[in-house]
Amino acid sequence: MSTKSLFIGTAVILISIFVAASLFYQNQQSAEEDTLVSNNAAALERIGAAVKGPAGAKVTIVEFFDPACGTCAQFYPAVQQFIEQYPGKVKVMMRYAPLHQGSDQVVKLLEAAHLQGKFWPALELLFANQQYWVANHVSDADRAQAVFSSLGLDQIQFATDFNGMAVANAIQEDVKDGQTLNIRATPEFFVNGKPMPSFGYEQLKQLVENAVAEAY
């Protein structure tokens, strides 16, 4: 056998090994992702949580957030834009992760507003007025409630709901699920059960694009 033939044969073998290893890695990575999605499924979505977008959308973005989180406020317009960018295909579910001091009371306010159908305008008011009710990463619930004055809420019902079990149970479930999913900072996103490989808008955008391509 000539040196040239030996070289070509060796190269073919090496390429075959590389291709086989690559396929094995991709299959292993896919299997790990499927397992992760399966494990996350039970803790990701909550019946009754605030959702925006069509019920039949095949792509669900689940965001664990704290209304006192500045990064959550910065991401909010971009996340909402995905619904418009992929009409009929994407919906967003919001889950509470009150990690800032005092935010446990603010999410109670938000959930009480949600029970009157005012979650989204209430959230937008909180994000728009963070500098008023958040100081040094500490939430002031009284000031947060003051920014709801334009929502036209039934104040008696609002006070009842704020102290009621429906609000407490919803938040407790979100906190418990956040612990199950190891949520340590906000915002934390999952797209059809998959977490971002690393944090950033481009990473989230790519995850959404991939999910839409897979679903449609």
Side-chain angles (χ1 to χ4, degrees):
M1 180 181 294
S2 68
T3 302
K4 181 178 180 181
S5 298
L6 180 63
F7 176 79
I8 293 174
T10 302
V12 169
I13 292 172
L14 290 175
I15 291 172
S16 299
I17 293 173
F18 175 77
V19 170
S22 297
L23 290 173
F24 174 79
Y25 174 77
Q26 290 174 3
N27 291 335
Q28 185 179 42
Q29 189 176 42
S30 178
E32 288 175 354
E33 285 185 353
D34 290 343
T35 299
L36 184 61
V37 170
S38 178
N39 292 340
N40 287 346
L44 274 177
E45 300 187 23
R46 170 173 59 82
I47 296 174
V51 177
K52 182 181 285 188
K58 296 180 182 180
V59 175
T60 302
I61 303 171
V62 176
E63 176 183 351
F64 282 81
F65 79 104
D66 185 328
C69 164
T71 306
C72 294
Q74 292 171 358
F75 264 73
Y76 180 79
V79 174
Q80 301 305 305
Q81 186 177 359
F82 290 131
I83 299 173
E84 300 176 5
Q85 183 178 352
Y86 301 103
K89 299 178 179 179
V90 174
K91 62 180 179 287
V92 177
M93 174 180 287
M94 304 297 285
R95 305 288 306 273
Y96 302 116
L99 301 179
H100 287 71
Q101 183 179 337
S103 286
D104 56 331
Q105 298 302 303
V106 178
V107 295
K108 287 177 65 177
L109 295 171
L110 191 50
E111 183 63 14
H114 177 41
L115 293 180
Q116 294 192 39
K118 297 294 181 70
F119 175 88
W120 298 101
L123 179 60
E124 289 169 8
L125 283 171
L126 288 176
F127 281 157
N129 294 279
Q130 273 184 346
Q131 292 183 341
Y132 173 71
W133 62 273
V134 181
N136 299 319
H137 305 291
V138 177
S139 301
D140 186 324
D142 290 334
R143 286 195 164 201
Q145 185 173 355
V147 307
F148 287 3
S149 59
S150 63
L151 291 176
L153 296 169
D154 179 329
Q155 293 301 321
I156 295 176
Q157 186 63 49
F158 183 76
T160 299
D161 289 337
F162 178 84
N163 294 300
M165 289 305 300
V167 165
N169 289 340
I171 295 169
Q172 183 179 24
E173 185 173 345
D174 281 8
V175 170
K176 181 180 178 181
D177 287 343
Q179 292 170 345
T180 298
L181 295 166
N182 198 32
I183 305 298
R184 297 178 179 273
T186 54
E188 187 72 57
F189 297 98
F190 297 82
V191 181
N192 281 1
K194 296 180 181 180
M196 292 193 299
S198 59
F199 185 77
Y201 171 73
E202 290 300 325
Q203 292 88 325
L204 177 60
K205 180 182 177 183
Q206 188 63 57
L207 203 58
V208 173
E209 288 179 357
N210 291 346
V212 171
E214 291 172 3
Y216 293 94

